[in-house]
Amino acid sequence: MKKTIFMVVLVMLLTTACQKDFIEILPVDTVTVDLLYKTDKDYQDAVIGIYGIFQAQYANMYYFGDIRGDDVWDELVKGTAGAVDNFTLANDDGLLISTWRNYYKAITRANTLLERINTADAALVSNKNRHIGEAEFLRALAYFDLVRIFGDVPMVTKTLSIEDSYKTPREKVDKIYDEVIIKDLLDAESKLPEKYAGVDVGRATKGAARALLGKVYLTRKDFTKAEAKLQEVTTMGYALLPNWADLWDYTKNEHHSEYIYDIEYEQGLGTLGSIYTNRFTPKVTSMIAFYGIAGSVDDQNTPHQVLFDLFEAKDKRKDLTASRGYTDATGKFIPLLVSSNNMSAYTRKYIVKITTANDSPANWKVIRYADVLLMLAEAMNENGKTAQALPYLNQIRTRAGLDALPTDITQTELRNQIVLERRRELAFEGHRWFDLVRTGQALNVMQKYGMKPHHVVFPIPLAQIQLINNPAIFPQNPGYN
């Protein structure tokens, strides 16, 4: 599927003709759009156009999921990353407007496809159900991210005229969950295949829809439905990789038994590689040369001391997750030389040799099987099934080289251990901040770093507030005016 994403460029050219800041508005009566939606391949290419927007958007997901939390920080206190880290992000920051635009571009393209495919000739569109399922999955993911980042947002499920776009209000989060996110994921689950072959590997699957729906239920504290849905995922053939480090070895097949859904990137196809390797590498000349990283590096996403302190000495994840140096070809450990120009630590999860700047093969793991096991353990524990939940957590611990937790553990103790294990297992994968918010612990943990109660969501981009210019239907989030 990675190698087919080059079609996104063509799709973007065909589908983008008239755009407002509020959302991307497609001129549905134009010849180019009418010509686009005819054959099965047309719809497949249109779906690829939605996937492509997520490639751009997830280049910045670490700001929201990692830097905002306590395990990662912007050590050099610079620019947008520093402002996200210390809760001083202005409502006109470019990160916010690009995030808003990206998600609504994806939503608009999904809406257009879903509208047009309803009347498509089934004889010409042989994979009709699959195309619908993929578009619904991606629309649900876009809205899930939007409400977790911004709170109430406009709920747009059909193509809009320019006039209507100015009248569309922000809707309550619960309504968006009920009427779009959950509905889309349930339908996507019924339509998507369990697996793909050949170039289609990497597309959203039935397992991806189920896993994301389980996360949605968990976020809403519907632990009964979360447990049931996540339990279904465990019956689908997924399994933890025996060696945790293989998750981050980009010379091996990334579509393995633990893979559920990634944002896919491909090295060597122009602009389809990821930025993570360059973005997260310290400006240390000897280390850059040792790893073979081309282009400039950005000194971002620094592991905080609190993250180092979480790991036991025997934890197999410890040194790869967070390091203060590198081991050279002779086996000698070379510590980072800390100065005002580079950070003192980094994660090795995204380190890989690249010959062109910002052309890394490293994917962003939206959800993998270890996450499912930890969420299932959490849901079961909250449902009073502590003894039954424990084995799922112990699978994660055992692979990491840690001792299994005892069977007489209490519900409170297991709850705390699940939080700890999520931090160790999923660091730098965009989970920590959202975990803090959904469990109600964000202010308690982050207040000492500058958080105030209103910071549980980010500000609505100022450009959107000014464009609609109607606080009755489109107010700014409290605390950001």
Side-chain angles (χ1 to χ4, degrees), residues 188-343:
E189 175 190 356
S190 71
K191 289 180 167 63
L192 290 170
E194 289 196 16
K195 59 184 178 180
Y196 297 92
V199 297
D200 288 327
V201 172
R203 292 177 178 272
T205 61
K206 188 182 298 293
R210 284 178 177 170
L212 184 59
L213 185 53
K215 177 163 284 191
V216 167
Y217 287 141
L218 194 70
T219 300
R220 299 192 82 193
K221 295 182 170 54
D222 190 339
F223 300 116
T224 300
K225 287 185 178 178
E227 178 187 339
K229 190 56 62 178
L230 294 166
Q231 191 70 257
E232 289 179 29
V233 180
T234 67
T235 68
M236 299 183 69
Y238 297 109
L240 296 179
L241 290 179
N243 179 16
W244 181 84
D246 285 347
L247 287 162
W248 316 104
D249 184 344
Y250 300 105
T251 68
K252 297 183 177 179
N253 180 18
E254 61 200 335
H255 300 112
H256 42 65
S257 64
E258 193 164 339
Y259 174 100
I260 295 182
Y261 185 70
D262 286 3
I263 303 300
E264 302 270 338
Y265 297 94
E266 178 74 3
Q267 191 174 42
L269 292 178
T271 60
L272 297 182
S274 72
I275 54 85
Y276 310 127
T277 301
N278 290 87
R279 193 71 62 87
F280 303 158
T281 298
K283 293 179 180 177
V284 177
T285 303
S286 61
M287 190 177 79
I288 294 168
F290 175 74
Y291 285 128
I293 298 172
S296 61
V297 296
D298 292 338
D299 269 323
Q300 289 197 36
N301 233 20
T302 313
H304 198 283
Q305 181 60 46
V306 297
L307 181 61
F308 281 94
D309 293 341
L310 295 179
F311 288 95
E312 298 177 32
K314 61 182 179 180
D315 195 319
K316 296 177 181 178
R317 302 165 297 188
K318 176 172 64 72
D319 293 334
L320 199 153
T321 300
S323 180
R324 291 194 171 94
Y326 66 99
T327 302
D328 69 13
T330 69
K332 180 180 179 181
F333 182 76
I334 310 296
L336 299 183
L337 298 176
V338 182
S339 71
S340 60
N341 297 319
N342 69 270
M343 57 193 189

Side-chain angles (χ1 to χ4, degrees), residues 384-422:
K385 302 176 181 178
T386 299
Q388 297 96 313
L390 181 60
Y392 294 109
L393 176 63
N394 278 337
Q395 284 188 53
I396 306 296
R397 292 180 58 87
T398 299
R399 180 175 67 167
L402 303 178
D403 297 332
L405 295 174
T407 56
D408 61 350
I409 192 170
T410 67
Q411 184 186 44
T412 298
E413 290 170 341
L414 184 58
R415 182 183 296 122
N416 293 336
Q417 287 295 327
I418 291 168
V419 170
L420 173 60
E421 216 53 60
R422 287 188 65 82

Side-chain angles (χ1 to χ4, degrees), residues 48-68:
I48 292 173
I50 309 172
Y51 281 109
I53 295 172
F54 283 88
Q55 283 187 324
Q57 175 52 35
Y58 268 73
N60 291 324
M61 185 53 76
Y62 70 98
Y63 286 108
F64 300 105
D66 294 320
I67 290 181
R68 190 69 155 191

Side-chain angles (χ1 to χ4, degrees), residues 351-398:
I351 295 294
V352 59
K353 181 178 180 179
I354 56 175
T355 57
T356 303
N358 299 317
D359 189 33
S360 172
N363 285 353
W364 186 269
K365 294 172 173 55
V366 176
I367 192 163
R368 58 184 171 92
Y369 191 55
D371 187 11
V372 168
L373 293 177
L374 290 167
M375 290 192 293
L376 178 56
E378 182 178 339
M380 294 183 74
N381 190 51
E382 296 303 324
N383 288 331
K385 302 176 181 178
T386 299
Q388 297 96 313
L390 181 60
Y392 294 109
L393 176 63
N394 278 337
Q395 284 188 53
I396 306 296
R397 292 180 58 87
T398 299

